[in-house]
Amino acid sequence: MTTSICAVVLSTLLIISCREFDSEVRINTTDQPGIFELKSLNNHLHAEIFSIAQLTPTALIAGSDSGNIFKISASSGMIELYSSYGESYNIVSLHVGDSLNIVLLNSNSDIGKSTDGGLTWHPWSENLDGKIIITLYYQVSTNRFYIGSSDGSIYHRSFADTIWYPITNLHRSVTSFTSSDSTNLFAGTWSSGIFKINLQTNQIEGINSGLLNPYIKTLHTCKNNKIFAGTYGDGIFYSSNNGIFWFNYSKILDTAIINNLDATSNYDLIATTNSALYIIKNNSSSHSIGIFDSTNILINTLIVDINDRIYIGTNDGIYRADPK
């Protein structure tokens, strides 16, 4: 697939490049009401991990470089090679519809679908020739997948559909999605902040009041319907009124580049930069707690599993943070 120089530069900013370092990790327990222990799950794994998803209540899957997909036991932490897709490319996104139906995106803008729990894969990129796909999102409430491209095009598709259907074009790179209900889709962009799309009327509204940085790297909605935005250089913002106004969430991180966001069941927000992982306590006045900080390990992806275990995918494999 031919890509423009601008798209390549943007992809470099949005997806951390592959590097090899020694695994030197510092656990920071200062100012920390709950102590966490970071554990390497790598064993003899030397893959770079770009995506992690919950496959079943007892297992997760992880997408790596070279198109390999690994399976992780939630109880033992053991990792095994599970399958592969597009051997020359990184698996940058994985979304599980159910234990059988899974969709992935790789760094070549190829979308793959599995109907047997990720064991085998089939191309799922019909009618998207030439599109540089940056982000893939699964909306649980509608069982639909959404993709955003470098030219601002947004498409959706369900498991039953035979093609991807266009929704709109924001005319700027779409970097992330989230939703708080089945009606509204929030799209983060590279340079123009956040847009709210009404999926019933296709009405589009820019929602940037209070947002101090228009370069959005990641979006996440908590179960309490707070919407969080991770920015490129100004930390984290949140909205509790569907984007009508945004507030700075943690002044301790207000100059950070936020790459990933997720949350625990009690609404503690988990955030990562390139080399640090933070827990921002829902009930803490100090807000920010760094539990992982390394100059040698680069963090690519983050997930909080159904048991509130925190997994990070890095250039040095997979790590898990468990409460002590």
Side-chain angles (χ1 to χ4, degrees), residues 56-260:
T56 67
T58 60
L60 298 93
I61 52 174
S64 76
D65 53 353
S66 302
N68 289 324
I69 298 166
F70 295 88
K71 188 175 182 179
I72 311 164
S73 169
S75 57
S76 68
M78 293 298 295
I79 302 174
E80 61 179 324
L81 182 61
Y82 192 52
S83 61
S84 63
Y85 183 89
E87 294 180 358
S88 299
Y89 303 100
N90 306 325
I91 307 297
V92 298
S93 188
L94 281 166
H95 289 274
V96 176
D98 54 51
S99 60
L100 293 178
N101 293 290
I102 308 170
V103 176
L104 63 75
L105 170 67
N106 74 10
S107 55
N108 193 45
S109 293
D110 297 324
I111 300 171
K113 177 186 174 183
S114 174
T115 57
D116 59 6
L119 290 171
T120 59
W121 295 90
H122 311 281
W124 212 48
S125 300
E126 294 88 342
N127 71 295
L128 294 177
D129 290 345
K131 292 292 181 184
I132 302 169
I133 309 303
I134 295 176
T135 187
L136 169 71
Y137 174 71
Y138 177 58
Q139 189 180 43
V140 177
S141 60
T142 61
N143 292 320
R144 284 182 177 174
F145 290 88
Y146 293 86
I147 55 173
S149 70
S150 62
D151 67 0
S153 300
I154 298 175
Y155 292 76
H156 74 85
R157 185 173 183 175
S158 70
F159 283 118
D161 292 333
T162 57
I163 61 170
W164 289 90
Y165 293 95
I167 297 177
T168 190
N169 193 323
L170 298 179
H171 301 290
R172 63 273 286 169
S173 295
V174 179
T175 59
S176 54
F177 291 114
T178 194
S179 60
S180 56
D181 52 45
S182 60
T183 300
N184 294 307
L185 179 71
F186 299 90
T189 68
W190 189 255
S191 74
S192 297
I194 302 168
F195 292 82
K196 181 168 66 174
I197 304 166
N198 186 306
L199 297 174
Q200 296 177 348
T201 65
N202 281 351
Q203 180 181 357
I204 302 169
E205 177 185 4
I207 49 168
N208 295 314
S209 184
L211 188 67
L212 301 181
N213 190 319
Y215 293 87
I216 307 301
K217 295 210 69 180
T218 184
L219 294 173
H220 179 75
T221 301
C222 277
K223 292 180 180 179
N224 61 1
N225 286 331
K226 274 188 178 178
I227 304 170
F228 293 90
T231 68
Y232 189 86
D234 283 293
I236 302 167
F237 291 80
Y238 80 97
S239 175
S240 55
N241 53 16
N242 263 352
I244 293 175
F245 196 87
W246 296 88
F247 299 89
N248 189 313
Y249 192 63
S250 178
K251 293 186 181 299
I252 297 175
L253 295 174
D254 63 3
T255 60
I257 298 171
I258 305 298
N259 293 325
N260 301 281

Side-chain angles (χ1 to χ4, degrees), residues 40-55:
S40 171
L41 304 184
N42 299 327
N43 298 322
H44 299 292
L45 173 68
H46 296 291
E48 180 163 14
I49 303 299
F50 290 94
S51 53
I52 307 175
Q54 187 95 43
L55 178 62

